[in-house]
Amino acid sequence: MHAAPDLSPAIQQYLLRYNNLVRQTAARHGLSDDDIDEVFQDVRIRLWRALQRREKSDEIPASYIYRTAVSAALDLIRRRRARREQRLEAVPNREVVTEPRSERSLVSSELVDQVAAAVAALTPSRRPVVRMHLAGYHRDEIAASLGWTEAKTRNLLYRGLEELRTRLTERGIGPLEVAR
């Protein structure tokens, strides 16, 4: 039985040779420096697996490294998008309060429930954009995370907020009047 060869030098050689290719590929997908490091780690793991499967020490082509970097970048984006959507879909757990609530707290809680119900009733295509907007995401971040163009995101957000305003007005909830 022979020992498995040490693949670390070969992996390092590939990563040094194709460093710019991996960085440019990840940057083209709008990833930050920290994200690019994560893509590098993923490429390293996939390269290690590929080298482990090879019986011959064939040269791994640049196209394989490129495809691996693209796949790693897209996987990272998809994981982040899935986590964001899960957070947006999650209903916050309400704590059981043993002491009586103030009237202001009750009104605030009811308002949150009314807005949540109105958002849930939005047209399905507009709902995620409005939820992300209300969660504090900028329009560019929303477009990137949903994989949409800025124009599509802007349009759905504009129409979604207008629909939300209409639904809230129908429920008797309107803009706050500022006391002067």
Side-chain angles (χ1 to χ4, degrees):
M1 189 168 181
H2 62 68
D6 183 18
L7 300 175
S8 297
I11 293 170
Q12 279 305 109
Q13 181 183 6
Y14 281 113
L15 291 176
L16 285 172
R17 185 182 315 156
Y18 297 113
N19 178 32
N20 288 337
L21 176 69
V22 173
R23 286 196 176 286
Q24 290 170 354
T25 302
R28 255 186 251 127
H29 287 86
L31 298 176
S32 69
D33 289 340
D34 290 338
D35 294 337
I36 291 173
D37 291 341
E38 198 169 328
V39 169
F40 259 105
Q41 186 62 24
D42 204 1
V43 168
R44 179 185 316 272
I45 292 167
R46 293 177 191 198
L47 190 56
W48 177 74
R49 286 180 184 152
L51 287 171
Q52 209 173 29
R53 285 190 304 263
R54 291 179 177 271
E55 292 181 19
K56 300 185 277 177
S57 60
D58 295 352
E59 178 73 16
I60 292 182
S63 62
Y64 175 82
I65 304 293
Y66 172 75
R67 287 190 318 268
T68 302
V70 168
S71 177
L74 292 175
D75 288 348
L76 177 64
I77 291 167
R78 285 185 193 115
R79 281 193 307 270
R80 294 236 169 103
R81 184 181 302 157
R83 275 184 267 164
R84 281 183 183 156
E85 288 174 0
Q86 286 173 352
R87 282 195 314 249
L88 290 173
E89 294 294 326
V91 176
N93 293 332
R94 301 221 187 255
E95 293 181 19
V96 177
V97 180
T98 55
E99 59 189 63
R101 289 181 172 185
S102 69
E103 185 177 331
R104 184 176 188 167
S105 175
L106 277 173
V107 170
S108 176
S109 176
E110 290 172 9
L111 182 61
V112 168
D113 291 342
Q114 290 287 329
V115 172
V119 169
L122 291 175
T123 305
S125 61
R126 298 174 185 162
R127 194 176 309 135
V129 180
V130 172
R131 278 192 175 140
M132 291 181 80
H133 175 75
L134 294 175
Y137 289 93
H138 187 270
R139 195 170 59 215
D140 295 335
E141 293 173 310
I142 297 169
S145 69
L146 295 176
W148 294 344
T149 64
E150 194 277 333
K152 177 179 180 177
T153 304
R154 181 182 61 236
N155 186 15
L156 287 171
L157 179 59
Y158 172 78
R159 292 174 187 259
L161 289 175
E162 185 63 35
E163 183 180 349
L164 180 61
R165 225 176 269 115
T166 302
R167 289 182 182 279
L168 289 173
T169 303
E170 289 170 354
R171 294 170 183 249
I173 301 170
L176 297 175
E177 293 184 24
V178 179
R180 294 186 186 207

